[in-house]
Amino acid sequence: MTEPKSKNIVWHQSTVTRAEREAISGHRGCTVWLTGLSGSGKSTVANLLEKALWERGVRSYVLDGDNVRHGLNKDLGFSPKDRTENIRRIGEVAALFTDAGVVNVTAFISPYRADRDLVRKVQAEGNFIEVYVKCDLDECEKRDPKGLYKKARAGEIPEFTGISAPYEAPDNAELVVDTTGQTPEQSLAVILRYLETKAYIPAV
Amino acid sequence: MTEPKSKNIVWHQSTVTRAEREAISGHRGCTVWLTGLSGSGKSTVANLLEKALWERGVRSYVLDGDNVRHGLNKDLGFSPKDRTENIRRIGEVAALFTDAGVVNVTAFISPYRADRDLVRKVQAEGNFIEVYVKCDLDECEKRDPKGLYKKARAGEIPEFTGISAPYEAPDNAELVVDTTGQTPEQSLAVILRYLETKAYIPAV
């Protein structure tokens, strides 16, 4: 759906522009969209990034797949349809945070390419930075920080990405960080350098 | 629904606390929830508030009923069920913005008391400031900035609040601003004074 269902609605122009909002903070807003298998390190990297940005005085906020499911998306499950709606809503919220001038970091498996392309298109070019948190399935399953792979192998979790549901790796992510062979801190450094180089945040 | 539908999810504690986020901005996050009839002045007051906060260096963001319906809630109409889901989602997004340290201002009719009570409960005590933007129906209908009352009277808009759908006025709003008899600037002053007095923002 691309047109709103409801009629008689008008787009209100805010009296404060995004550029004005960004000016009082000294950095831009954008979405750093982490995608990858469960156990690939998305949450770890997201939290490291939030901490590093905070230490630089940059306003950031982590939208976490697990956390959002307790609130905004608590009515959704893990069927393909619900996964798509889950990602759609998060993409819209991410766009609001970008518009508000906050570096928002999302840590969702977001396994479907089409869903990621949709949330990318919600925002203007350059606002959306897709980061593929790449990790071998074997390694993710070995880590299994929440014991989910074990449950999935035992058939206790249906539609588990990588086991009984597909993960479609990005074709054209802005960044790829391979956590199979590097530490979360190394992944962090790659992302920070990108944000600096593209002038989302001041270089230090 | 109070429990998430999906199992096997864990609440991740962010490595940066809300207090730490607020510390680098010098003000707190909170939700200023404006409720009132169409034409009561919610959007005008919201935009004035955003501008006034910006001039003080306070990070704020307006979540607007009309605007959100183009994105996050574009799948929703104006039936009672859809209105409730509309408000529920906005309440959850507002809570995320509060947690991010942003003064978020919502400008929704939000006609049902039960819906407003639900979104209030999403946030911890003191994070949610309900502001009743009070205005006589006659006056709203006279203003009719979007020509909606005229259409509603002509039967072109079903379930229009105040005409063919109820508006339940707040019993215990933190603030009431009566825009029938005062200017938007006077309403703004009342809200700013409240935010200062309760130390959400520094006094000037």
Side-chain angles (χ1 to χ4, degrees):
Chain A
M1 186 181 306
T2 54
E3 288 300 307
K5 184 176 174 187
S6 51
K7 307 295 179 196
N8 299 306
I9 54 182
V10 181
W11 187 277
H12 281 264
Q13 188 58 45
S14 167
T15 54
V16 180
T17 66
R18 175 176 162 195
E20 287 172 330
R21 277 191 287 273
E22 291 175 339
I24 62 171
S25 289
H27 59 82
R28 290 170 60 194
C30 64
T31 296
V32 178
W33 188 281
L34 307 179
T35 172
L37 294 170
S38 179
S40 61
K42 297 182 301 300
S43 291
T44 303
V45 171
N47 287 333
L48 281 176
L49 180 56
E50 185 184 34
K51 189 81 175 179
L53 290 171
W54 180 82
E55 285 167 353
R56 293 166 179 230
V58 171
R59 279 138 209 91
S60 78
Y61 193 66
V62 173
L63 296 168
D64 185 292
D66 293 343
N67 299 2
V68 167
R69 281 190 176 274
H70 286 272
L72 179 64
N73 293 352
K74 67 180 175 184
D75 56 325
L76 303 174
F78 287 93
S79 70
K81 182 163 165 273
D82 278 9
R83 281 178 188 256
T84 291
E85 174 64 7
N86 180 51
I87 296 304
R88 186 193 73 80
R89 289 187 200 167
I90 299 299
E92 295 286 356
V93 172
L96 294 172
F97 270 95
T98 295
D99 194 39
V102 176
V103 177
N104 52 97
V105 185
T106 68
F108 300 83
I109 297 172
S110 46
Y112 300 123
R113 203 173 289 126
D115 293 346
R116 295 193 305 266
D117 287 347
L118 268 180
V119 292
R120 173 189 291 275
K121 280 176 193 149
V122 168
Q123 302 198 41
E125 180 87 23
N127 290 346
F128 187 87
I129 303 156
E130 189 175 352
V131 181
Y132 178 23
V133 182
K134 191 177 176 183
C135 187
D136 293 345
L137 179 61
D138 285 356
E139 172 65 19
C140 291
E141 194 162 356
K142 204 183 302 173
R143 295 175 187 170
D144 204 8
K146 305 173 197 164
L148 298 179
Y149 283 97
K150 202 176 166 196
K151 287 187 186 177
R153 290 289 183 194
E156 292 167 31
I157 308 176
E159 301 176 291
F160 191 78
T161 300
I163 305 295
S164 47
Y167 178 79
E168 301 172 355
D171 286 331
N172 53 357
E174 275 75 4
L175 288 172
V176 180
V177 293
D178 191 333
T179 66
T180 317
Q182 69 182 16
T183 64
E185 287 73 16
Q186 288 173 312
S187 299
L188 168 68
V190 170
I191 299 171
L192 281 176
R193 195 161 53 238
Y194 183 89
L195 294 177
E196 287 181 352
T197 305
K198 299 282 186 177
Y200 292 100
I201 62 174
V204 290
Chain B
M1 186 181 307
T2 54
E3 288 300 308
K5 183 175 173 187
S6 50
K7 308 295 179 195
N8 299 307
I9 54 183
V10 180
W11 187 277
H12 281 263
Q13 188 58 45
S14 165
T15 54
V16 180
T17 66
R18 176 176 162 194
E20 287 171 331
R21 277 191 288 272
E22 292 174 338
I24 63 171
S25 289
H27 59 82
R28 290 170 59 194
C30 63
T31 295
V32 179
W33 188 281
L34 307 178
T35 173
L37 294 169
S38 180
S40 61
K42 296 181 301 300
S43 290
T44 304
V45 170
N47 288 333
L48 282 176
L49 179 56
E50 185 185 33
K51 189 82 173 177
L53 290 171
W54 179 81
E55 285 167 353
R56 293 167 179 230
V58 171
R59 280 138 208 91
S60 77
Y61 193 66
V62 173
L63 295 168
D64 187 289
D66 293 344
N67 299 4
V68 167
R69 281 188 176 274
H70 286 273
L72 178 65
N73 292 352
K74 67 181 177 185
D75 56 325
L76 302 174
F78 287 94
S79 69
K81 182 163 165 274
D82 278 8
R83 281 179 188 256
T84 292
E85 175 62 7
N86 181 51
I87 296 303
R88 185 193 74 79
R89 289 186 199 167
I90 300 299
E92 296 285 358
V93 172
L96 293 172
F97 271 95
T98 295
D99 194 39
V102 176
V103 177
N104 52 99
V105 185
T106 68
F108 300 82
I109 298 173
S110 47
Y112 301 123
R113 201 173 289 125
D115 292 347
R116 296 194 304 267
D117 286 348
L118 268 180
V119 291
R120 173 189 290 275
K121 281 178 192 147
V122 168
Q123 302 198 41
E125 180 87 23
N127 290 346
F128 187 88
I129 303 157
E130 189 174 354
V131 180
Y132 178 23
V133 183
K134 191 178 176 182
C135 186
D136 292 346
L137 179 62
D138 286 355
E139 172 65 18
C140 291
E141 194 163 356
K142 203 184 299 172
R143 294 176 188 171
D144 205 8
K146 304 173 199 165
L148 297 179
Y149 283 97
K150 202 176 166 198
K151 287 187 186 176
R153 289 291 185 193
E156 292 167 31
I157 308 175
E159 301 177 290
F160 191 78
T161 300
I163 305 295
S164 47
Y167 178 79
E168 301 173 356
D171 286 330
N172 53 358
E174 276 75 6
L175 287 173
V176 180
V177 293
D178 191 333
T179 66
T180 317
Q182 71 181 15
T183 65
E185 287 74 15
Q186 288 172 313
S187 299
L188 169 67
V190 170
I191 299 170
L192 281 176
R193 196 162 52 239
Y194 184 89
L195 294 177
E196 287 181 354
T197 306
K198 299 283 188 178
Y200 291 100
I201 62 174
V204 290

